[in-house]
Structures are given as C-alpha cells and as structure tokens.
Amino acid sequence: MAFRRRNKSYPFFSQEFLIQNHADVVFSLVILILIGLMFEATAKTAILFIQPQYNTSTLTPEGEVTLYQYGWRDGATILFYFFIIVILHAVVQEYVLDKVNRRLHLSKSKNTKFNESGQLCVFHLVSSVWSLYILITEGYLFHPSSLWENYPHVHLRFQVKVFYLSQLAYWLHTLPELYFQKVRKEEIPRQLQYIGLYLLHITAAYLLNLTRVGLVLLCLQYLSELGFHIARMFYFTDESHQKMFDLWAVSFVFTRMVTLTLMFLAVGFGLARAENQGLDWDHGNFNTLLIRMTVLIAVCLTQSWLLWKFIRFQLRRWREFRHEQAARKRAVAKQTPRPLKRDSLGQHENGVIKAENGASPRPKKIKAP
C-alpha cells in the first residue's frame, strides 16, 4: 500500500525514507495489531489498543447500558487512533490535496498553507458534525442545565469517550506531521501555539469531567474554524474571494461571545451552586473554588488572545485593501487618454484645421508663375 509516488529510493531508516514512507510504516503497525486479535496469547493485549477501556454495565429504564471512565490504559487506545489518523492524513493528502495543488500551481508558501487548511477542513467538518450529533442524541443541546447538573460526569457513553480519545489522537498526530510535511521553521511556532491550546483544553475537559461543556465548546470552535479554512482555500484559488472572510468574522465574534457566556453560566454559576463542593479524587469531583477560577481564567485568557489575533488579522486585511485601492486608482489615472482640444465650431483640433467631417482639408496646389 503506497501513499506517495517514489521518484527516488533512499536507504532504509534514513530521514528521507521515513518522511516518504511514514504512512506505510504506520499502516504495517496497524496490521500487526489487528493480526494480534487472531491469537489467544496476544488477543488481550491487542484489545487494549482497539477497544476503549474501563467499561461498566448499569441498568436503566431503557435497559442495560455500558458506560466508560478514563484511566491510564486510554493511552494505548489513543496510540492506535493516532496510527489510524496518520493513515487517513496521508490518504487525504495524496488523493485529494495533491491533485488539487497540481492544477492550481501555487507557490511553495501558499501550497503549505493550502495543505494545512485542507487537512483542517476535513477534520473540522467531521468533528463538528460528530459533536453536534452527540449533543442532540444525548439531549445536551435542548437541556442546557444538564451541562452542569449531576456533576461529576464520571461515566461516559461510548460515543463520547471515543470522541475525546479521537480528538487527543488527532492533535497529537499533528506534532510529528510538522516534521513529515517539512513545514517551514517560520510556521512551526504558530502551529505549535494552537496545537498546544487544543491539547490543553481537551485534556482538561476530559480529566476534570467537564466533557459536556467541552462538547459544546468544541462544536462551536470547530464550526468557526471550518468557515475560516474554507475562506482561506477559496482565497488561495482566487484572491478576489474576500467576502467569505467577512462571514467568518461574524461567526468568530459570535463564537467568542457564546463561549464566554456558557463558561460563566456552567462553571461560574452552575457548579458554584452545586451541593457536592470539594476535591474528591476517587469520585472524580474537582468542584472547588480554586479549580473553577483556574478554568475560567484559562478560558478567558485564551479567548482574549484569539480576539487579539483576530483584530490584528482584520487590521492587516484593511491595510492591504486600502493599498490595493490606491494602486488601482493610480493605474487607472495613468491609463486615461489625454483629451483632445476642440474649439466651439469644431473646426480646429490641437491647432490643426479640420473639416466638418473631422478629416483634414487637402492642401491647395500652388500654380507656378
């Protein structure tokens, strides 16, 4: 199974060999884990990677339901999902984005940003639809009070746990992809910033049992980011497409307002009025004043930083627009033809006598004496 066209062969385990064949190597590891399910001696170990762990069965009015908690064995499942996402990343890059890039003939810098936006478009689209489906099926969307009632939310449904493990696996896989995709050194700090922020917030929501609030915030964030990366991809194909950035700007501001409002409502007021106040590691209760304040401050600082970057981005776009308008006016002024001078009778044009039909009169022949 080859994901990349090989123009040149490299020595085994060399740097270029790993960059070009990393998806094939990871695919081999996935096959090895799946083969482990076929043998009784290795089946228990292989299941640790494939199936979410720490499941318990409880009886409800709807019947027997399997719920999940988190633990250190989740690391094995995240590693397996990590491998799967690396393979999917290579498939999208090879069979979608590379074909589009060959048609667009973008520069190297634009090509890198186009690939980044293309990968994130696919991820944000899948994650936003997936999280919205969970919010609807679990009833969190139509009952906002369920986001903080009955805290701590230690027991998770299967789809909720798989969603969070997949999120952690995706953002972890973006770290080695910086090396495999040969991202420029100037772009690495910017990408490390938002990768670190996503990992920090998703891990905090998962470990502090704030998964319900985290689902809503991730859904809003992914929808906003999806609009931005779609607008950026259209901009790279044709720089005249600027209106989609205006639509994204509205959704961005709306997302920041809803995020701050929801966090103060759920954490600042909902959990503050809950009866089970205190720190209890065994039961997963982290409802203390210090932890609540830390969570609120972290979210507020992140939203403030995003707003600051947004304002700088809009100011840069405004300056570029002004410069383009000024350049166009100068170009139009240079191309304007010089007007011809005519007298009131229309017989003279730039000092030359013209006939009524606009043609110059034929000179009279002077007879020789």
PDB file of all heavy atoms in Angstrom, residues 148 266-277 287 292:
ATOM      1  N   TRP A 148     -24.198  21.072  33.677  1.00  0.00           N
ATOM      2  CA  TRP A 148     -23.555  21.147  34.989  1.00  0.00           C
ATOM      3  C   TRP A 148     -24.306  20.369  36.067  1.00  0.00           C
ATOM      4  O   TRP A 148     -23.787  20.170  37.156  1.00  0.00           O
ATOM      5  CB  TRP A 148     -23.395  22.600  35.427  1.00  0.00           C
ATOM      6  CG  TRP A 148     -24.692  23.365  35.531  1.00  0.00           C
ATOM      7  CD1 TRP A 148     -25.543  23.361  36.594  1.00  0.00           C
ATOM      8  CD2 TRP A 148     -25.279  24.217  34.544  1.00  0.00           C
ATOM      9  NE1 TRP A 148     -26.628  24.167  36.341  1.00  0.00           N
ATOM     10  CE2 TRP A 148     -26.474  24.718  35.092  1.00  0.00           C
ATOM     11  CE3 TRP A 148     -24.901  24.628  33.272  1.00  0.00           C
ATOM     12  CZ2 TRP A 148     -27.308  25.586  34.372  1.00  0.00           C
ATOM     13  CZ3 TRP A 148     -25.721  25.487  32.579  1.00  0.00           C
ATOM     14  CH2 TRP A 148     -26.903  25.961  33.121  1.00  0.00           C
ATOM     15  N   ALA A 266     -22.015  27.852  33.188  1.00  0.00           N
ATOM     16  CA  ALA A 266     -21.867  26.468  33.637  1.00  0.00           C
ATOM     17  C   ALA A 266     -20.900  26.346  34.809  1.00  0.00           C
ATOM     18  O   ALA A 266     -21.209  25.697  35.824  1.00  0.00           O
ATOM     19  CB  ALA A 266     -21.398  25.589  32.475  1.00  0.00           C
ATOM     20  N   VAL A 267     -19.720  26.965  34.679  1.00  0.00           N
ATOM     21  CA  VAL A 267     -18.683  26.818  35.708  1.00  0.00           C
ATOM     22  C   VAL A 267     -18.828  27.864  36.797  1.00  0.00           C
ATOM     23  O   VAL A 267     -18.727  27.558  37.993  1.00  0.00           O
ATOM     24  CB  VAL A 267     -17.281  26.887  35.067  1.00  0.00           C
ATOM     25  CG1 VAL A 267     -16.191  26.750  36.125  1.00  0.00           C
ATOM     26  CG2 VAL A 267     -17.126  25.787  34.016  1.00  0.00           C
ATOM     27  N   GLY A 268     -19.066  29.109  36.408  1.00  0.00           N
ATOM     28  CA  GLY A 268     -19.116  30.186  37.396  1.00  0.00           C
ATOM     29  C   GLY A 268     -20.353  30.181  38.260  1.00  0.00           C
ATOM     30  O   GLY A 268     -20.291  30.544  39.442  1.00  0.00           O
ATOM     31  N   PHE A 269     -21.501  29.764  37.696  1.00  0.00           N
ATOM     32  CA  PHE A 269     -22.757  29.775  38.453  1.00  0.00           C
ATOM     33  C   PHE A 269     -23.304  28.375  38.715  1.00  0.00           C
ATOM     34  O   PHE A 269     -23.724  28.061  39.827  1.00  0.00           O
ATOM     35  CB  PHE A 269     -23.809  30.610  37.696  1.00  0.00           C
ATOM     36  CG  PHE A 269     -23.470  32.067  37.613  1.00  0.00           C
ATOM     37  CD1 PHE A 269     -22.849  32.582  36.491  1.00  0.00           C
ATOM     38  CD2 PHE A 269     -23.757  32.932  38.659  1.00  0.00           C
ATOM     39  CE1 PHE A 269     -22.523  33.919  36.405  1.00  0.00           C
ATOM     40  CE2 PHE A 269     -23.443  34.270  38.586  1.00  0.00           C
ATOM     41  CZ  PHE A 269     -22.819  34.771  37.458  1.00  0.00           C
ATOM     42  N   GLY A 270     -23.299  27.526  37.668  1.00  0.00           N
ATOM     43  CA  GLY A 270     -23.880  26.190  37.835  1.00  0.00           C
ATOM     44  C   GLY A 270     -23.134  25.341  38.840  1.00  0.00           C
ATOM     45  O   GLY A 270     -23.708  24.834  39.809  1.00  0.00           O
ATOM     46  N   LEU A 271     -21.822  25.164  38.640  1.00  0.00           N
ATOM     47  CA  LEU A 271     -21.036  24.350  39.567  1.00  0.00           C
ATOM     48  C   LEU A 271     -20.848  25.028  40.918  1.00  0.00           C
ATOM     49  O   LEU A 271     -20.688  24.350  41.944  1.00  0.00           O
ATOM     50  CB  LEU A 271     -19.669  24.038  38.956  1.00  0.00           C
ATOM     51  CG  LEU A 271     -19.672  23.153  37.702  1.00  0.00           C
ATOM     52  CD1 LEU A 271     -18.246  22.899  37.235  1.00  0.00           C
ATOM     53  CD2 LEU A 271     -20.395  21.837  37.974  1.00  0.00           C
ATOM     54  N   ALA A 272     -20.868  26.364  40.951  1.00  0.00           N
ATOM     55  CA  ALA A 272     -20.704  27.057  42.233  1.00  0.00           C
ATOM     56  C   ALA A 272     -21.890  26.819  43.163  1.00  0.00           C
ATOM     57  O   ALA A 272     -21.746  26.865  44.388  1.00  0.00           O
ATOM     58  CB  ALA A 272     -20.519  28.551  41.994  1.00  0.00           C
ATOM     59  N   ARG A 273     -23.070  26.555  42.587  1.00  0.00           N
ATOM     60  CA  ARG A 273     -24.264  26.319  43.407  1.00  0.00           C
ATOM     61  C   ARG A 273     -24.533  24.836  43.656  1.00  0.00           C
ATOM     62  O   ARG A 273     -25.530  24.494  44.283  1.00  0.00           O
ATOM     63  CB  ARG A 273     -25.471  26.940  42.726  1.00  0.00           C
ATOM     64  CG  ARG A 273     -25.384  28.470  42.586  1.00  0.00           C
ATOM     65  CD  ARG A 273     -26.616  29.023  41.929  1.00  0.00           C
ATOM     66  NE  ARG A 273     -26.549  30.480  41.809  1.00  0.00           N
ATOM     67  CZ  ARG A 273     -27.500  31.231  41.279  1.00  0.00           C
ATOM     68  NH1 ARG A 273     -28.607  30.645  40.805  1.00  0.00           N
ATOM     69  NH2 ARG A 273     -27.355  32.544  41.210  1.00  0.00           N
ATOM     70  N   ALA A 274     -23.659  23.970  43.152  1.00  0.00           N
ATOM     71  CA  ALA A 274     -23.864  22.534  43.367  1.00  0.00           C
ATOM     72  C   ALA A 274     -23.607  22.171  44.824  1.00  0.00           C
ATOM     73  O   ALA A 274     -22.863  22.846  45.546  1.00  0.00           O
ATOM     74  CB  ALA A 274     -22.928  21.731  42.451  1.00  0.00           C
ATOM     75  N   GLU A 275     -24.236  21.097  45.269  1.00  0.00           N
ATOM     76  CA  GLU A 275     -24.125  20.675  46.671  1.00  0.00           C
ATOM     77  C   GLU A 275     -22.794  19.997  46.958  1.00  0.00           C
ATOM     78  O   GLU A 275     -22.259  20.126  48.059  1.00  0.00           O
ATOM     79  CB  GLU A 275     -25.281  19.740  47.019  1.00  0.00           C
ATOM     80  CG  GLU A 275     -26.656  20.405  46.914  1.00  0.00           C
ATOM     81  CD  GLU A 275     -27.774  19.440  47.266  1.00  0.00           C
ATOM     82  OE1 GLU A 275     -27.447  18.251  47.519  1.00  0.00           O
ATOM     83  OE2 GLU A 275     -28.946  19.856  47.272  1.00  0.00           O
ATOM     84  N   ASN A 276     -22.284  19.255  46.000  1.00  0.00           N
ATOM     85  CA  ASN A 276     -21.056  18.475  46.240  1.00  0.00           C
ATOM     86  C   ASN A 276     -19.829  19.337  45.969  1.00  0.00           C
ATOM     87  O   ASN A 276     -19.171  19.219  44.938  1.00  0.00           O
ATOM     88  CB  ASN A 276     -21.038  17.212  45.371  1.00  0.00           C
ATOM     89  CG  ASN A 276     -21.279  17.529  43.895  1.00  0.00           C
ATOM     90  OD1 ASN A 276     -21.690  18.626  43.543  1.00  0.00           O
ATOM     91  ND2 ASN A 276     -21.020  16.551  43.053  1.00  0.00           N
ATOM     92  N   GLN A 277     -19.529  20.214  46.899  1.00  0.00           N
ATOM     93  CA  GLN A 277     -18.336  21.055  46.813  1.00  0.00           C
ATOM     94  C   GLN A 277     -17.162  20.321  47.470  1.00  0.00           C
ATOM     95  O   GLN A 277     -17.320  19.683  48.503  1.00  0.00           O
ATOM     96  CB  GLN A 277     -18.569  22.394  47.522  1.00  0.00           C
ATOM     97  CG  GLN A 277     -19.727  23.206  46.974  1.00  0.00           C
ATOM     98  CD  GLN A 277     -19.375  23.904  45.675  1.00  0.00           C
ATOM     99  OE1 GLN A 277     -18.212  24.180  45.417  1.00  0.00           O
ATOM    100  NE2 GLN A 277     -20.376  24.182  44.861  1.00  0.00           N
ATOM    101  N   ASN A 287     -14.803  20.029  42.005  1.00  0.00           N
ATOM    102  CA  ASN A 287     -15.613  21.238  42.130  1.00  0.00           C
ATOM    103  C   ASN A 287     -15.143  22.060  43.335  1.00  0.00           C
ATOM    104  O   ASN A 287     -15.785  22.104  44.386  1.00  0.00           O
ATOM    105  CB  ASN A 287     -17.092  20.864  42.268  1.00  0.00           C
ATOM    106  CG  ASN A 287     -17.996  22.072  42.151  1.00  0.00           C
ATOM    107  OD1 ASN A 287     -17.559  23.167  41.802  1.00  0.00           O
ATOM    108  ND2 ASN A 287     -19.273  21.881  42.454  1.00  0.00           N
ATOM    109  N   ARG A 292     -12.261  25.989  39.756  1.00  0.00           N
ATOM    110  CA  ARG A 292     -13.214  26.747  38.922  1.00  0.00           C
ATOM    111  C   ARG A 292     -12.598  28.055  38.434  1.00  0.00           C
ATOM    112  O   ARG A 292     -12.739  28.420  37.260  1.00  0.00           O
ATOM    113  CB  ARG A 292     -14.498  27.021  39.705  1.00  0.00           C
ATOM    114  CG  ARG A 292     -15.347  25.802  39.969  1.00  0.00           C
ATOM    115  CD  ARG A 292     -16.768  26.210  40.348  1.00  0.00           C
ATOM    116  NE  ARG A 292     -16.795  27.139  41.472  1.00  0.00           N
ATOM    117  CZ  ARG A 292     -16.894  26.783  42.746  1.00  0.00           C
ATOM    118  NH1 ARG A 292     -16.946  25.491  43.067  1.00  0.00           N
ATOM    119  NH2 ARG A 292     -16.925  27.689  43.712  1.00  0.00           N
TER     120      ARG A 292
END
